[in-house]
Each structure stands twice: as C-alpha cells, then as structure tokens.
Amino acid sequence: MPNSGLIYDIKKYAIHDGPGIRTTIFLKGCPLDCWWCHNPESRSREPQSRKNLRPQKSIAMFANIPQLVGVRVSTAAVMEEIRKDVLFYDQSGGGVTFSGGEPLLQADFLKSMLKICRHENIHTAVDTSGYVDFSAFEKVLGFTDVFLYDIKLMDDALHRKFTGVSNRLILENLIKLQEKNVTLRVRIPLIPAITDTELNLKAIISFLKNETQYKEIDLLPFNQMGESKYERLDMEYRTGPLKMQSTEEIEEMKALFQKEGFRVSP
Ligand code: SF4
C-alpha cells in the first residue's frame, strides 16, 4: 500500500467541497481535458513548472524562475495537516475532501488516506470525474463516506468534444456505484451554453430518474477564476470569456431538478 502520493495543493476551510468546513487535498493527474477546467495544473500526472507572472517588485529577480507544481508527500505528512483542523470538522460536521485532478488515479494512496481518516473518525469525501476503471472505486468504497460525482454532458459527441473522452464509462460507473449502496451527490458544473442548456439538464434529469435513485444534486455555477492559471502553464484557455449565470438563471435551473423530486444545493 503506497504511503505517498502526488498532490499539488491543500485548501483549508473549504465550504463547497462537501458538508461543513473541510480540508481539501488536491491530487495530481486527470484523464479528462475539460475546456473550462479551473485547475489546469491538476492535469499532468507529473510535477510541472509554472511561470511566475506577477512577482513582487522587491523580488523581481525571481520573475523568470518557474515554480514547480506538484509534490510527492507521505500519508503521514498529509495527515498532520488534516489533523490540525479536527476541531472545525467536529463543530461544523465537516471533514476532508480528496479532489484533483482525479483522485482515483492514485487509488492506493487514496485508500491509505481514507483508511487512516476512518480510523480517526474524520468524515471523508471523494470528488471524482467517474472516469476510471471500476476497480479503483472498489478499492476505496468501504472507506469513503460520500462521493461527489460529476456529470457534465449527456450527449456523447459533445462530451468527447469538450472533455476529450466519452461519457459512457462515467455513466456506467455511476450505475454500478448505486448497486454498491454508496452515499453519493451528483455534481453538475454549469458551464454557460455548454453544460447549462435546458436540453442537457433535462437529459441529465431523465438519466438520473430512469437509471438511478440518486436524489442529491449540487449545481456548480460557473466562474472565470481558473483562466489566469492557463497563461502561467503555457496552456490554451479554450472556452474564452463566458457570461456568468444570473441568480435568476440559476434558480430556473434549480427548479428543473426540484420539480422532478431532486434536492438541490446551493
Ligand atoms: S475532470 Fe475536473 S480536473 Fe479533470 S480536466 Fe475536467 S474539470 Fe479539470
């Protein structure tokens, strides 16, 4: 069982990555290539360099020295960080979320972390794209409190275009997980004119109603925050400027799910 993994960030006091106040551990590597990805530094399965575009004036000499993204860390070191905020988890009903990238690409490391958390009564969430062999899920099923499972596009041609892969494996794994009786929230990133169309949202509703019994939905409104990261990584931001959804538009999307019996947050 590997006692180390490749991560690229740790976010403290996260409030959108599962219940309560959480520490989110970002594992490196992702099999998808989403046009809108907020974490392009997560994609590569290896540490990579990133330009320092805005150095402080006083230390301009560092301007052209690239930073390294991604570090191999031991389970013990990650647990040390996680344990610092146990009080917040206990008071808020929070815990730890393993995100990415795709955390299940490092299923053995993930399993080690989840086992320790379970042993220490720390609530865990695994935030996944679902695009992994089901054997990766089987490794961690018994130690994960909740899966946060992304569904992006129901039209397979569009899914291939905007994420680089077919949605078949993702949808099949979602159905298989149900047979394992896991706790799971479906998360839908609302990308303007790509995933947030009425056609796509209704197709997701129809799939969830006909093929699964999942009722908990998180709608994730779009923001442009990840865009600046692309330049630093010498990567192209393909979505271009997009118009953020208004509160009314989000409410309308929410209502589509609610009237079909889903519980939606936020
Ligand atoms: S699945 Fe998530 S981490 Fe991977 S490319 Fe898509 S948005 Fe980025």
Side-chain angles (χ1 to χ4, degrees), residues 30 32 34 37 42-43 101 129 152:
C30 185
L32 274 67
C34 303
C37 182
S42 71
R43 306 248 194 93
S129 67
K152 300 175 174 79

Side-chain angles (χ1 to χ4, degrees), residues 144-148 177 180-185 214 216:
T144 305
D145 291 312
V146 60
F147 287 94
L148 309 176
L177 281 173
K180 302 285 182 184
N181 224 4
V182 300
T183 303
L184 184 148
R185 297 188 68 86
Y214 301 120
E216 305 291 338

Side-chain angles (χ1 to χ4, degrees), residues 14-27:
I15 52 167
H16 298 296
D17 297 333
I21 296 173
R22 311 189 70 82
T23 296
T24 304
I25 314 293
F26 292 90
L27 280 72

Side-chain angles (χ1 to χ4, degrees), residues 86-110:
V86 164
L87 203 60
F88 291 105
Y89 314 147
D90 290 348
Q91 286 175 350
S92 68
V96 183
T97 299
F98 296 93
S99 184
E102 172 48 69
L104 285 160
L105 284 185
Q106 301 183 60
D108 290 326
F109 169 62
L110 182 61

Side-chain angles (χ1 to χ4, degrees), residues 5-12 14 17 23-29 38-39 41-42 50 68-73 78 81-82 96-101 106 109 229 232:
L6 189 63
I7 71 169
Y8 68 93
D9 204 1
I10 293 180
K11 182 167 74 178
K12 301 275 199 155
D17 297 333
T23 296
T24 304
I25 314 293
F26 292 90
L27 280 72
K28 200 151 159 50
H38 282 169
N39 296 321
E41 71 274 43
S42 71
R50 159 168 79 184
L68 199 63
V69 185
V71 58
R72 185 154 288 281
V73 287
V78 181
E81 279 308 313
I82 290 172
V96 183
T97 299
F98 296 93
S99 184
Q106 301 183 60
F109 169 62
K229 295 181 178 179
R232 299 181 68 187

